[in-house]
Amino acid sequence: MVPRLEVVAALIWEGGRFLICRRPAHKARGLLWEFVGGKVEPGETKEAALIRECREELDIAVRVGKICMEVTHTYEDAVVHLTLFHAGIAGGRPRLLEHTDMRWITPAEISHYPFCPADAEILEKLQTGGIRPPAL
């Protein structure tokens, strides 16, 4: 039986562009692009997990906003329940501590990047305008 993982991710906008990160080659789904985030630890809220993951992966403090979308995806090695939050950078400048690359892209540029399969439904909504930057 494959494990079920609770995972959180941040949709961080800067103008009309959002932040994506490239996974390290040695990890599952290596070299694919994703939103910054990670696993929720036991006893941790999803919001606290997102704050911790953004600090550990990009050395930034984030403001966690509303839930943008939730998806469940089954991989061969795990079932991932992903909660995507709108988020903003509250402090620091993103720097690579875990990932191999990061980019600010527009929804029109999504097709230029191979993403983790769990993100497919989210990316489709970004491309069709179903997800937009939150009002400031």
Side-chain angles (χ1 to χ4, degrees), residues 26-84:
H26 68 279
K27 291 212 167 185
R29 289 157 284 289
L31 301 179
L32 294 179
W33 292 84
E34 66 180 1
F35 302 98
V36 63
K39 294 181 199 128
V40 178
E41 300 294 337
E44 191 175 43
T45 66
K46 290 180 180 183
E47 293 83 356
L50 189 59
I51 290 167
R52 175 184 51 75
E53 288 285 348
C54 288
R55 184 181 62 249
E56 290 175 358
E57 294 183 359
L58 294 176
D59 196 25
I60 57 173
V62 294
R63 288 182 311 279
V64 179
K66 293 181 180 179
I67 292 174
C68 179
M69 191 170 174
E70 293 186 68
V71 297
T72 300
H73 185 81
T74 302
Y75 290 107
E76 287 184 15
D77 60 332
V79 175
V80 174
H81 178 254
L82 170 64
T83 303
L84 180 72

Side-chain angles (χ1 to χ4, degrees), residues 9-22 33-37 53-55 57-62 84-85 87-89 92-96 99 101-107 109-110 113 115 119 122-123 126 133:
L11 180 55
I12 301 172
W13 291 91
E14 183 178 90
R17 301 179 307 155
F18 60 92
L19 184 63
I20 61 171
C21 298
R22 192 172 192 193
W33 292 84
E34 66 180 1
F35 302 98
V36 63
E53 288 285 348
C54 288
R55 184 181 62 249
E57 294 183 359
L58 294 176
D59 196 25
I60 57 173
V62 294
L84 180 72
F85 287 88
I89 298 175
R93 295 183 61 88
R95 61 188 191 103
L96 297 172
H99 295 91
D101 199 359
M102 68 179 143
R103 303 274 169 89
W104 292 95
I105 68 167
T106 66
E109 296 171 310
I110 288 170
Y113 298 89
F115 278 86
D119 295 331
I122 295 165
L123 298 166
L126 281 162

